[in-house]
Every structure is written in structure tokens, then in C-alpha cells.
Amino acid sequence: MASYGCYHAYISPPPPLYKNNYLQGDIGGSFLKWQWERLTQGLPKPPANGYHFPIVKADAAWLQANKEISTATWIGHATVLVQMRGLNILTDPIWSERASPFTFMGPQRKVPPALAYAQLPHIDVVLISHNHYDHLDKDTVLKLNQQAGGAPLFLVPLGIKQWMADIGITNVQELGWWDKTDLGGLAFNFVPVQHWSARTLNDRFQTLWGGWAVTTAADAKPAKSFFFAGDTGFSKDFEDIGKRFAPFDLALLPIGAYAPRWFMRAQHVDPGEAVKIHQNVHAQRSIGIHWGTFELTDEALDEPPRALAEELKKAHIPAADFVALEHGEMVRF
């Protein structure tokens, strides 16, 4: 599941307002069965490193000054600072201690944000993939809305604009699948992935979810592009995205929160499926996200990079083409 605040959405789901393109039936299984398995089997097991994940100290001053070089810095979970064509873009930002509607319970950070909020450059665009608590964090978007120099543009799926307005955020554009908006020489395209949405007991499937394909204009020199998948199960959607936008210079692909497969398969890819997405969207390089930060599911928190390495070997893909960064690590693309 995406977060504590959505676990109980399985109890009494309302009729869906949105649905996936290629999935028939429900997206999960028995939540209570999963929780019983976790309890009786003592899952998840703690990682071998005892939750002491290395953190790379990002060069905040350089990031704040950079206007020329395309970069991606993994801050943690699905939060990545992408710099392209002089714009600073954040994906699914969360600086909060818990991925939950509560401050006292729910999945707690095991690794602090690799870049402190105060170290961020001025953010121009925030990309939201869906409304689960580990991807749409109220406290973080409120802080970003109040940043010095003016609020960023928040790009959100259908149905989330009103939620943003209710908390006082108005610099928002709402997009459906295959819609796009332009800013600063970049096209921001909202694309379908296989997932779901909910923040309360009665709003499951009531807002849209998706990924973001960000491209420069066709005649831009140099042309650049990146793909942010958000949360997703594996589906034919990635072939569709590849046909429209491939190749991508960089893809940000989830590699964690996948066990047990009988429960998570439809909504969260495992590392092997992430490798297939890398191939389907023809990414020159991919970064593994959505792991190593919040303990959401049953695999050990440090397992995804090891599993990714094995899957890359099986697929005969060089390890450098799809990397699991350390928190705070930056790549240029």
C-alpha cells in the first residue's frame, strides 16, 4: 500500500470515478489477510544495515546556482529534485516524518530527507503523481506554497485541484491522462499508469493518478526528456508511453514496496518489472526510487537494489544504465 492513511480504504470502497486502462477487477486482495501474514511471520524483517543508510551530502550551493546542467538528485522515497532548462522541478515532495494523516502513527521515515528543505533552490514546478500520503504530503506542499520568491506551479491529476484550493494553494493546474501544459520551454505531459487513489475512508478512486513525461520542444538544442512513473503496477501503459515519447534521457522508476506479490502486484512493480518499464519507455538511464525511506511493505528496506542488480544481469543490461542511488546522490543527464 502507498501509506497508512490508505490502508483502511479497502474496508468500504465507493463506486470508482476513475479506473485503470488495462486492469480488470480489484487492484488488491484481502488487506486483513496481508496484515495477518505480517503479524504471524514477523514482517518486514529489518535491513542488514540496521536502517543506517548512507546519505550523500548534496552540494546545495551548486544546486541553487545551477541553471545550465540537467541533473537529478534523489532526496528520498519518490522525491527527486530535477533541474532542466533552468527550471527546478520536484516530484512527489515529502519532508514530513510520517507518511500518514497522523503525526503519531503510520509509516515513519527511516532516513531523513537527504537535502534539508532550507537547502532547496527556488522550486518552479511540483509534479504530483497521486494523492496517497507518501506522495502528496500536506505539510510539504504548504511549505512550498510559501517559499520565498513565490509559489511554484503545482501540476496535479484530475480531482486534486479542489483539495489544494481547500488548504489555500491556488497556483495549480489539473491534468487528465495525455493532457499537457508548457512552462519555460518544457512540456509537462500527464500519462496513465496502473495504480489507485484515496486519502480517506470514502474517496477511493475518486481522483486520478499517473506519471509525468517531461520533454523539451522538438527543436530545442539540446533536446532533453525525463519520465517520472510515480507509483504503478506493470501494464501496457508503458508501451503506450514509449510509443508517444521515447526515448527518454532519464526515467525515475519505483523499485520498492512490492511484497507480498499476491497483494502488491497490480499496484507496485518489483525490480524485474521496473527493468521492463525501463525497456518499454526506452530510457537511456533510469534511477530507482520508492525504496529505502519508508517501510511500507514486506520486503526488507535494503532489498530492492540487490534485486535490481540481479534483474539487470538477467536482462543483459549494464548496471550503469539503471542505478539505485544513495540518498542525496546526484546524476547529470
Side-chain angles (χ1 to χ4, degrees):
M1 276 324 44
S3 73
Y4 173 84
C6 298
Y7 286 165
H8 49 39
Y10 275 97
I11 296 173
S12 182
L17 185 58
Y18 300 99
K19 63 180 181 178
N20 288 290
N21 283 330
Y22 297 107
L23 182 67
Q24 301 298 319
D26 201 356
I27 197 160
S30 170
F31 171 75
L32 294 178
K33 176 185 174 183
W34 173 40
Q35 292 303 293
W36 177 250
E37 285 185 356
R38 300 188 96 192
L39 179 65
T40 57
Q41 297 175 27
L43 298 172
K45 301 295 185 184
N49 63 15
Y51 301 102
H52 298 296
F53 288 85
I55 301 176
V56 175
K57 185 177 180 180
D59 189 340
W62 187 89
L63 289 169
Q64 291 168 7
N66 178 42
K67 299 296 181 184
E68 302 295 332
I69 299 172
S70 297
T71 74
T73 303
W74 185 45
I75 294 168
H77 199 52
T79 305
V80 181
L81 170 64
V82 180
Q83 299 183 301
M84 202 161 89
R85 288 189 64 90
L87 292 182
N88 296 311
I89 304 162
L90 272 182
T91 64
D92 287 354
I94 177 169
W95 264 259
S96 290
E97 181 66 16
R98 294 187 185 272
S100 169
F102 310 109
T103 59
F104 57 91
M105 64 186 298
Q108 189 170 16
R109 292 193 90 101
K110 300 299 184 180
V111 182
L115 194 65
Y117 179 80
Q119 295 177 304
L120 286 174
H122 182 273
I123 301 302
D124 300 293
V125 181
V126 174
L127 301 180
I128 300 296
S129 65
H130 65 297
N131 73 349
H132 285 161
Y133 283 90
D134 56 327
H135 295 262
L136 177 54
D137 180 62
K138 180 180 177 180
D139 287 347
T140 300
V141 295
L142 284 172
K143 283 183 179 179
L144 288 165
N145 190 56
Q146 297 164 358
Q147 72 177 344
L153 173 63
F154 293 88
L155 298 181
V156 304
L158 290 176
I160 295 180
K161 185 175 182 178
Q162 184 59 54
W163 180 90
M164 302 287 275
D166 290 344
I167 63 172
I169 300 176
T170 58
N171 194 28
V172 180
Q173 288 189 29
E174 191 176 70
L175 287 79
W177 287 340
W178 306 122
D179 288 345
K180 81 176 182 76
T181 190
D182 299 304
L183 179 70
L186 296 181
F188 295 85
N189 303 270
F190 191 56
V191 297
V193 303
Q194 184 169 289
H195 201 56
W196 59 291
S197 62
R199 285 180 79 86
T200 71
L201 286 168
N202 61 357
D203 68 343
R204 192 172 178 224
F205 288 105
Q206 300 304 295
T207 65
L208 195 54
W209 54 90
W212 293 93
V214 182
T215 63
T216 53
D219 59 351
K221 294 182 181 180
K224 291 286 183 180
S225 62
F226 77 90
F227 172 56
F228 168 56
D231 254 2
T232 184
F234 187 74
S235 70
K236 187 177 176 294
D237 290 304
F238 300 105
E239 290 184 22
D240 299 340
I241 293 166
K243 288 176 182 178
R244 294 201 187 203
F245 299 108
F248 288 98
D249 295 287
L250 183 71
L252 311 175
L253 305 179
I255 61 170
Y258 52 79
R261 294 311 289 149
W262 68 264
F263 189 66
M264 294 295 168
R265 181 179 300 278
Q267 57 197 299
H268 287 168
V269 295
D270 62 18
E273 292 166 329
V275 169
K276 292 180 182 178
I277 297 174
H278 169 84
Q279 295 171 314
N280 285 173
V281 302
H282 301 279
Q284 294 183 19
R285 191 176 190 184
S286 291
I287 294 173
I289 61 171
H290 205 259
W291 72 277
T293 309
F294 294 101
E295 201 167 51
L296 302 174
T297 51
D298 288 358
E299 79 277 2
L301 207 58
D302 61 348
E303 180 183 291
R306 296 194 300 271
L308 175 63
E310 291 301 317
E311 295 296 339
L312 290 171
K313 288 180 183 177
K314 292 178 186 178
H316 305 289
I317 295 174
D321 289 1
F322 194 157
V323 297
L325 302 178
E326 294 183 348
H327 294 76
E329 193 171 355
M330 183 192 79
V331 298
R332 302 184 183 200
F333 67 97

